Amino acid sequence: MTASAATSSALPSRRLGIIGSIVGVLALIAAVLPHWVVPVLYPPPPADKVIVDTGHRLKDRLIARVKGVEYQAPPREKSTGSQLSEASSIAAIALGLLAILLSVLALVFREERLLAGVAAALGAGAIAVEISFLAMGVLMLIVILYVVANIIGLF
């Protein structure tokens, strides 16, 4: 047996770790990039338009309640930007879970631990980024509701 044959059999495989790391990087890109790119390409509607539309819907809902008729909300189409954001969130979580799965499989098949760890960290990081954006949105909603309730005088 030659020296190169002995060293090649001693090196652990890296296939699943490398694939998992690539999937983890894609997951992280899908989690982070759309929060900066999508609003630039498809800007959200101006705040005054959103406020006016919300006011009209509230007025229509109150009129329907006074008349005793069930309120039928007009169908709203999702903008391209919101569709892309939703798709990227789903892709980020799915790819993050896939990277973690590939990391676990790499450990099961006794591949190199460093690449398996990198894949798991990238997948978990992508999922954490998505959860953090969700948590920031929930906190902003709570703050807005608290301010509105405070202005109305509920607190």
Side-chain angles (χ1 to χ4, degrees), residues 8 11 20 29 43 47 52 63 75 92-93 102 109 117 122-124 128 137 145-146 155:
S8 66
L11 290 175
I29 289 171
V52 168
I63 290 172
I93 292 175
L102 289 169
F109 290 120
L122 288 170
L145 290 175
Y146 179 76
F155 293 120

Side-chain angles (χ1 to χ4, degrees), residues 7-139:
T7 56
S8 66
S9 65
L11 290 175
S13 174
R14 303 169 127 186
R15 186 177 321 142
L16 289 173
I18 290 173
I19 294 170
S21 296
I22 292 170
V23 170
V25 167
L26 292 175
L28 204 54
I29 289 171
V32 173
L33 202 58
H35 294 287
W36 285 283
V37 173
V38 171
V40 171
L41 296 176
Y42 304 101
D48 57 346
K49 183 180 183 312
V50 173
I51 292 171
V52 168
D53 290 343
T54 304
H56 286 300
R57 279 187 303 218
L58 282 173
K59 180 183 77 168
D60 294 342
R61 185 171 292 191
L62 287 173
I63 290 172
R65 180 174 282 176
V66 168
K67 289 182 178 180
V69 180
E70 183 179 339
Y71 175 70
Q72 295 291 329
R76 269 196 294 177
E77 292 184 24
K78 289 187 177 181
S79 68
T80 306
S82 66
Q83 289 175 349
L84 283 175
S85 289
E86 286 178 10
S88 69
S89 293
I90 292 169
I93 292 175
L95 289 172
L97 289 173
L98 182 61
I100 293 171
L101 173 69
L102 289 169
S103 168
V104 169
L105 289 176
L107 291 175
V108 168
F109 290 120
R110 299 182 188 267
E111 290 191 2
E112 189 175 327
R113 288 184 172 185
L114 178 63
L115 285 173
V118 168
L122 288 170
I127 294 170
V129 166
E130 278 303 314
I131 290 173
S132 69
F133 278 113
L134 177 70
M136 284 188 288
V138 168
L139 286 175

